[in-house]
Amino acid sequence: MINDIKKISVSEDKIQSILTRLGNQITKDYKDKEPLFIGLLKGCNPFMVDLMKHINLYCTLDYLDVSSYAGTKSTGNVRINHDLNTNVEGKDIIVIDDILDTGRTLLAVVSLLKARGAKSVKLCVLLDKPEGRVAAIEADYVGDLVPNEFVVGYGLDYNEKYRNLPYIGVLKEEVYSK
Ligand code: IMP
Ligand code: MG
């Protein structure tokens, strides 16, 4: 698998420093609160699991699997493939995803959670690709910025593969023509 990688965009060391920084920041910002972490499947893992080890708070977690309707800018157009088990009413929520690209998915998720009565909703993403943005949404916690280039690893996939790569990298061109 690793022979398919052309270059490393975010190294394992860099990921560790991101986890420490974001974990400390969230611990500080949510002092005296009990946040509910909602991971978007499947890209939130391993980021969410590793990040939580750096958070010194009482907190809970749940998972949501959604697809945003392509080709629309309206909010709330989201198909739920796997719903939460938790009632979000009155909860302080931190949504975790692998990457913020067009922003359509996260915008739809935020409006869904607010419609269900969440007290607050913040977004935490490992990567942000600002050039890809279509929806008016920004993340509150960002691990690293990446250029408009397709990346895989540490949760990010190409055809469901490479999620288990311990770092973020760019695939060799020949992989796409396989
Ligand atoms: P969007 O912000 O609604 O466009 O959705 C972001 C989703 O698109 C992410 O959760 C990823 O599943 C996928 N995605 C966007 N850019 C990349 C990339 O560079 N590599 C792998 N998946 C990506
Ligand atoms: Mg995804």
Side-chain angles (χ1 to χ4, degrees), residues 40-44 66 97-99 105 155-157 163:
L40 301 191
L41 293 170
K42 307 166 193 161
C44 68
V66 296
D97 204 3
D98 49 3
I99 187 167
T105 316
L156 292 135
D157 72 300
R163 294 190 198 273

Side-chain angles (χ1 to χ4, degrees), residues 148-160:
N148 209 358
E149 178 175 50
F150 196 80
V151 287
V152 296
Y154 201 66
L156 292 135
D157 72 300
Y158 170 61
N159 284 347
E160 292 299 326

Side-chain angles (χ1 to χ4, degrees), residues 85-97:
N85 290 313
T86 313
N87 178 0
V88 301
E89 221 178 313
K91 296 266 169 67
D92 291 305
I93 293 169
I94 303 174
V95 177
I96 311 273
D97 204 3

Side-chain angles (χ1 to χ4, degrees), residues 49-102:
V49 177
D50 287 349
L51 177 64
M52 289 188 71
K53 298 176 203 165
H54 294 266
I55 293 172
N56 180 17
L57 294 169
Y58 296 109
C59 58
T60 53
L61 71 90
D62 204 346
Y63 292 98
L64 183 64
D65 184 3
V66 296
S67 324
S68 61
Y69 290 2
T72 175
K73 285 183 195 169
S74 57
T75 57
N77 288 339
V78 60
R79 190 180 67 211
I80 299 169
N81 305 317
H82 173 88
D83 208 343
L84 300 165
N85 290 313
T86 313
N87 178 0
V88 301
E89 221 178 313
K91 296 266 169 67
D92 291 305
I93 293 169
I94 303 174
V95 177
I96 311 273
D97 204 3
D98 49 3
I99 187 167
L100 176 57
D101 183 18
T102 68

